[in-house]
Amino acid sequence: MVFPAELVESLLCHDGCSSTWPFFEVPGGYRPMSAAEIVEGWRITREALTGVDPDGDLVGSYWHPQWVPFATTISASEMVLGCRPGDTHGAVGEMVKGDGTHFGRRPALGDVLDEVADALEGGLPIGNRLPVAFGGRLD
């Protein structure tokens, strides 16, 4: 599976963020996941859905093996990236537990990362919070 370039670049820069509160969130209240969390989250979802969906009825609507989680919330919803070849490669979806995955509601990952970078450089809020760097750590 080929990860979108924006995800690879982001992981190489900081590999997600701490899951210990207070943690950094991107717009929408999502905490970027580390590469290890991405792999584990993908594996857990694949195994769980294989057990309850042996005929694959949920594949492509609720979850797809080539959708990769990259950010999560405390309520276990996830932002996913489409990693299938073609026009949808890199598309951002939102998987809401119990509701399924919806694409087109969130901006592209590159746009989210640009918004965060602009906020950090300009001292602007992200959502309703102002990010603060202290002692080499972003809160």
Side-chain angles (χ1 to χ4, degrees), residues 21-108:
W21 185 258
F23 49 77
F24 181 72
E25 296 176 343
V26 297
Y30 286 87
R31 178 186 61 80
M33 299 163 68
S34 69
E37 288 176 301
I38 289 171
V39 170
E40 183 66 6
W42 178 88
R43 186 189 63 74
I44 288 170
T45 301
R46 183 198 61 184
E47 289 176 2
L49 289 179
T50 299
V52 299
D53 187 33
D55 297 325
D57 294 334
L58 298 176
V59 173
S61 62
Y62 192 87
W63 186 77
H64 191 280
Q66 289 182 309
W67 294 345
V68 175
F70 70 94
T72 188
T73 66
I74 57 173
S75 65
S77 294
E78 295 175 334
M79 289 176 81
V80 299
L81 283 173
C83 292
R84 292 188 280 186
D87 294 344
T88 61
H89 190 264
V92 175
E94 187 172 21
M95 182 176 17
V96 178
K97 302 296 182 189
D99 184 40
T101 303
H102 306 279
F103 285 85
R105 296 180 179 176
R106 296 276 173 198

